[in-house]
Amino acid sequence: MSNSMFDVIQEDIDKLNEGLIEAVSSPVDLVTEIGTHLVTAGGKRIRPALCLLAAHGGPDYSLSRLLPLAEALELIHTASLVHDDVIDEADTRRGSITANAKWDNQVAILSGDYIFARAFGLIADGDYGNYVSKRLADLVCNLSVGEIIQNHTVYHAVKDLDNYYNRIQKKTADFLEICCELGAYVGGFGKEDVRRMAEYGHCIGMAFQITDDLLDILQTSEKIGKPAGNDIRQGIVTLPVIHALNVSEEAGELEKIVTDPAMTDEMVARALSIVKATDGVEIAKAKVEEYLDRAREVLPGNLAPEIREAFVMVADFIGDRDF
Amino acid sequence: MSNSMFDVIQEDIDKLNEGLIEAVSSPVDLVTEIGTHLVTAGGKRIRPALCLLAAHGGPDYSLSRLLPLAEALELIHTASLVHDDVIDEADTRRGSITANAKWDNQVAILSGDYIFARAFGLIADGDYGNYVSKRLADLVCNLSVGEIIQNHTVYHAVKDLDNYYNRIQKKTADFLEICCELGAYVGGFGKEDVRRMAEYGHCIGMAFQITDDLLDILQTSEKIGKPAGNDIRQGIVTLPVIHALNVSEEAGELEKIVTDPAMTDEMVARALSIVKATDGVEIAKAKVEEYLDRAREVLPGNLAPEIREAFVMVADFIGDRDF
């Protein structure tokens, strides 16, 4: 995401970045080196930024009180990506070399564990109470379960849209929801405002992931830096593909392609053209707009103008992503 | 370890086993299947048993209050073994097939993460306060850092005994210390008794690991079910080997062998015979006895007789392991 929407909390983000490096420092030089590489490898800090924004203006707002939580959110995201990269045997992430490529799988697995545990250590230090700890533990459970389900259903072409929504909720929306919810909660907002911030996070998370999935279908390879149709190639079906599997006259051919782990580039291109011939892309775009409208609408009424504006910019940014 | 020493809490352990299966259950069948496989794959429950024993007789003792903590300790151990098995590409553990062999690496990595997170979820449910959460988060950090150091120094033949003690403390002793300490703490024992139980745990942990390392040198392949000298083969130097590297007239030859990743069976046999020709084995055995004496001595004075007896049996059992 563009940084401008987080300008209002840029100083907080600078402090967060210092805190992250401190959080992964260890008496063991190698561990510090690995941790520092991971937390400085181009993360956009969307999760902690949402958390800090959501806390701003709350009656209990204090940056020093919020920082351990915001750092923990970024560390959980980082650890989860480190393990994903081992699983995907990825060499680069956000333009930086991955831990498994720079060191090896064992270093990457163990430093992922270390970073997860540092996150829970920060939460204990922060003294936020059991509700926050429980929500974060459940989040990590759901992230892992979501990945297990996704990996287990690749090349299955599940035609059920609820399965898709459930999957992207676990993968993306739950995380952004928790960032907004816990930021507002620790900032001291009332129950209804916390609920509204949570729903905002859920909605932008759903919109963000549907958009991401759409980009994979619509953009050219050059633009996204990886081959278009990458999800299809990996056996992952997204909203427009599932729609086409349900409505296209060529659904049979499409299904044959997306369930074939040995599909060729030509087969991927053919699948994309079947998908694009339906109204699946339009339906997905409409769904994104629906989520973003709801996100803007559900924002609590009593936010400070510059904070509300930042949240609206986040929603606008997701809606404006280039197809 | 033999079960008899935990007879006094056998009913608690039965409840713990039920709780563990419940803890890893998920609405997703595959996740439940994996989790159940992992928590029923022959674990000896040493860590939760020490925790429950240490809590017994405390003024705040309540089994239902202790169980989430005891379960979390076993889950942290389980998750850590699951990731170790991925790293070691192990096919079996405790006679059962490993998660990476039964499913694959991605399932094993993600279910390890899931089980770690379930442990922290149980701790949040248990409402034990920040001290307990912080200790457990630090434990997971130290376990990971210990493994990273060990993996990074294989075939390095570090001749410093402090490095060895530090390594086995992180690998084994810290964990048993925390089990005893937190059991006593949540059971409501006073500060000095909690400290004593913690030291007991540390001492049996150190004794246990030194013994384990000795067995690898002294036992025949048939008896331990893996080739003797396995640590040397993997580039890991233990107390008697480090001693020999410092005092043996053949230290140069020994160092050449233990730093050679391509060492043959004959070279391992030669290394073992150089090590056995020194008094390193006797020194290690004496160190074990020293730790076990201290363990028996440091037990709090006011333990119930059957609980004290169980703790002494644990120490005796470690001392009696068959060389």
Side-chain angles (χ1 to χ4, degrees):
Chain A
M1 294 193 189
S2 144
N3 270 329
S4 66
M5 56 200 154
F6 299 137
D7 280 353
V8 59
I9 51 164
Q10 189 51 52
E11 282 178 36
D12 302 0
I13 299 288
D14 294 341
K15 286 233 172 65
L16 174 98
N17 286 332
E18 290 166 25
L20 284 171
I21 290 175
E22 205 183 302
V24 296
S25 293
S26 146
V28 180
D29 289 344
L30 175 65
V31 175
T32 307
E33 189 194 335
I34 299 164
T36 306
H37 174 79
L38 292 172
V39 300
T40 57
K44 292 182 292 284
R45 314 298 190 222
I46 295 169
R47 289 159 185 80
L50 287 172
C51 168
L52 292 168
L53 271 182
H56 261 276
D60 302 340
Y61 176 76
S62 135
L63 180 61
S64 61
R65 174 146 174 66
L66 259 297
L67 276 177
L69 171 61
E71 288 162 17
L73 291 164
E74 183 69 10
L75 290 181
I76 289 173
H77 180 55
T78 305
S80 148
L81 296 182
V82 171
H83 283 178
D84 281 357
D85 288 338
V86 175
I87 290 168
D88 297 341
E89 299 173 12
D91 294 328
T92 59
R93 150 98 54 193
R94 304 161 176 165
S96 290
I97 185 167
T98 58
N100 45 302
K102 188 172 163 86
W103 291 278
D104 54 33
N105 280 352
Q106 63 191 16
V107 163
I109 294 171
L110 293 167
S111 28
D113 293 347
Y114 170 75
I115 293 174
F116 270 132
R118 288 295 297 128
F120 285 98
L122 285 169
I123 293 302
D125 287 339
D127 195 10
Y128 303 112
N130 294 322
Y131 179 73
V132 171
S133 312
K134 180 66 173 153
R135 285 287 277 155
L136 291 174
D138 286 349
L139 167 69
V140 176
C141 284
N142 278 337
L143 284 174
S144 313
V145 167
E147 281 268 332
I148 291 174
I149 299 173
Q150 174 163 311
N151 293 334
H152 203 70
T153 53
V154 289
Y155 303 111
H156 274 52
V158 179
K159 289 189 209 82
D160 176 12
L161 264 182
D162 282 346
N163 175 288
Y164 170 74
Y165 289 124
N166 198 290
R167 181 149 46 82
I168 65 172
Q169 184 179 330
K170 285 203 161 66
K171 181 176 176 173
T172 307
D174 280 352
F175 206 154
L176 301 196
E177 173 179 333
I178 281 176
C179 295
C180 295
E181 179 201 341
L182 297 186
Y185 174 83
V186 173
F189 280 96
K191 215 168 175 176
E192 171 61 12
D193 287 343
V194 172
R195 192 199 63 72
R196 282 172 167 269
M197 280 310 316
E199 190 176 343
Y200 169 88
H202 169 77
C203 289
I204 60 163
M206 296 297 282
F208 185 85
Q209 191 58 53
I210 297 171
T211 304
D212 224 45
D213 294 345
L214 261 176
L215 286 174
D216 189 72
I217 286 172
L218 295 178
Q219 281 203 337
T220 58
S221 308
E222 297 73 42
K223 212 157 182 181
I224 52 173
K226 53 184 180 183
N230 201 39
D231 289 333
I232 290 177
R233 200 180 317 265
Q234 296 188 309
I236 299 166
V237 290
T238 57
L239 201 160
V241 180
I242 296 169
H243 180 74
L245 284 168
N246 282 299
V247 306
S248 169
E249 286 183 5
E250 292 149 316
E253 187 187 351
L254 179 60
E255 181 164 0
K256 238 177 146 172
I257 296 174
V258 298
T259 55
D260 181 358
M263 71 181 88
T264 61
D265 287 354
E266 290 67 33
M267 288 161 78
V268 175
R270 173 72 185 132
L272 287 173
S273 93
I274 295 173
V275 171
K276 288 181 193 169
T278 71
D279 55 348
V281 166
E282 292 317 308
I283 289 176
K285 285 183 177 175
K287 202 78 199 173
V288 169
E289 282 315 315
E290 198 182 301
Y291 275 117
L292 294 178
D293 285 346
R294 177 67 189 149
R296 295 183 194 98
E297 174 189 298
V298 78
L299 282 169
N302 54 353
L303 292 179
E306 73 277 15
I307 301 297
R308 161 176 297 271
E309 194 190 346
F311 279 124
V312 171
M313 278 168 79
V314 171
D316 292 346
F317 172 78
I318 296 173
D320 289 343
R321 283 176 79 190
D322 201 6
F323 290 114
Chain B
M1 296 189 186
S2 143
N3 269 329
S4 65
M5 55 201 156
F6 299 137
D7 279 354
V8 59
I9 52 163
Q10 189 51 53
E11 281 179 38
D12 302 0
I13 299 289
D14 294 341
K15 286 232 172 66
L16 173 98
N17 286 331
E18 290 167 25
L20 285 170
I21 291 174
E22 206 182 303
V24 296
S25 292
S26 146
V28 180
D29 289 344
L30 174 65
V31 175
T32 306
E33 189 194 336
I34 299 165
T36 306
H37 174 79
L38 292 172
V39 300
T40 57
K44 293 184 291 286
R45 315 298 189 220
I46 295 168
R47 288 160 186 80
L50 287 172
C51 168
L52 292 169
L53 270 180
H56 260 277
D60 302 339
Y61 176 76
S62 136
L63 180 60
S64 61
R65 175 148 172 65
L66 259 298
L67 276 177
L69 171 61
E71 288 162 16
L73 291 165
E74 184 68 10
L75 291 182
I76 288 172
H77 179 55
T78 304
S80 149
L81 296 182
V82 171
H83 283 178
D84 281 357
D85 288 339
V86 175
I87 290 168
D88 298 341
E89 299 174 12
D91 294 329
T92 59
R93 152 94 57 188
R94 304 162 176 165
S96 289
I97 185 168
T98 57
N100 47 302
K102 188 171 161 87
W103 291 277
D104 55 33
N105 280 353
Q106 63 190 15
V107 164
I109 293 171
L110 294 166
S111 30
D113 293 348
Y114 171 75
I115 292 174
F116 271 130
R118 287 296 296 128
F120 285 97
L122 285 169
I123 294 302
D125 287 339
D127 195 10
Y128 304 112
N130 294 324
Y131 179 72
V132 171
S133 312
K134 180 68 172 149
R135 287 286 279 155
L136 291 175
D138 287 349
L139 168 69
V140 176
C141 284
N142 278 336
L143 284 174
S144 313
V145 168
E147 281 268 332
I148 291 174
I149 299 174
Q150 173 163 311
N151 292 334
H152 203 69
T153 54
V154 289
Y155 304 111
H156 275 51
V158 179
K159 289 189 208 83
D160 175 13
L161 264 182
D162 283 347
N163 176 287
Y164 171 73
Y165 288 123
N166 197 289
R167 182 150 44 88
I168 66 172
Q169 184 179 330
K170 283 203 163 66
K171 181 176 177 173
T172 307
D174 280 352
F175 206 153
L176 301 197
E177 173 179 332
I178 281 175
C179 294
C180 294
E181 178 201 342
L182 296 186
Y185 173 83
V186 174
F189 280 96
K191 214 167 177 175
E192 171 62 11
D193 287 343
V194 171
R195 192 200 62 72
R196 283 172 167 268
M197 280 309 317
E199 189 176 343
Y200 169 88
H202 169 76
C203 290
I204 61 163
M206 296 298 282
F208 185 85
Q209 191 58 52
I210 297 172
T211 304
D212 224 46
D213 294 344
L214 262 175
L215 286 173
D216 189 71
I217 286 172
L218 295 177
Q219 281 203 341
T220 58
S221 307
E222 297 72 41
K223 215 158 179 182
I224 51 172
K226 53 184 178 182
N230 201 40
D231 289 334
I232 290 177
R233 200 181 316 266
Q234 296 188 308
I236 299 165
V237 290
T238 58
L239 201 160
V241 180
I242 296 169
H243 180 73
L245 284 168
N246 282 299
V247 306
S248 170
E249 289 183 4
E250 292 149 319
E253 187 186 352
L254 179 61
E255 182 164 359
K256 237 175 146 175
I257 296 174
V258 298
T259 54
D260 181 357
M263 72 182 88
T264 62
D265 287 353
E266 290 68 34
M267 288 161 78
V268 174
R270 173 73 186 132
L272 286 174
S273 92
I274 294 173
V275 171
K276 287 180 194 168
T278 71
D279 56 347
V281 166
E282 292 318 308
I283 289 175
K285 284 183 177 175
K287 202 77 199 172
V288 169
E289 281 316 315
E290 198 183 299
Y291 274 118
L292 294 179
D293 285 346
R294 178 67 189 149
R296 294 183 195 97
E297 177 188 297
V298 79
L299 282 169
N302 56 353
L303 292 179
E306 72 277 15
I307 302 298
R308 162 176 294 273
E309 195 190 344
F311 279 124
V312 171
M313 279 169 77
V314 171
D316 293 346
F317 171 79
I318 296 172
D320 289 342
R321 283 176 80 188
D322 201 5
F323 292 114

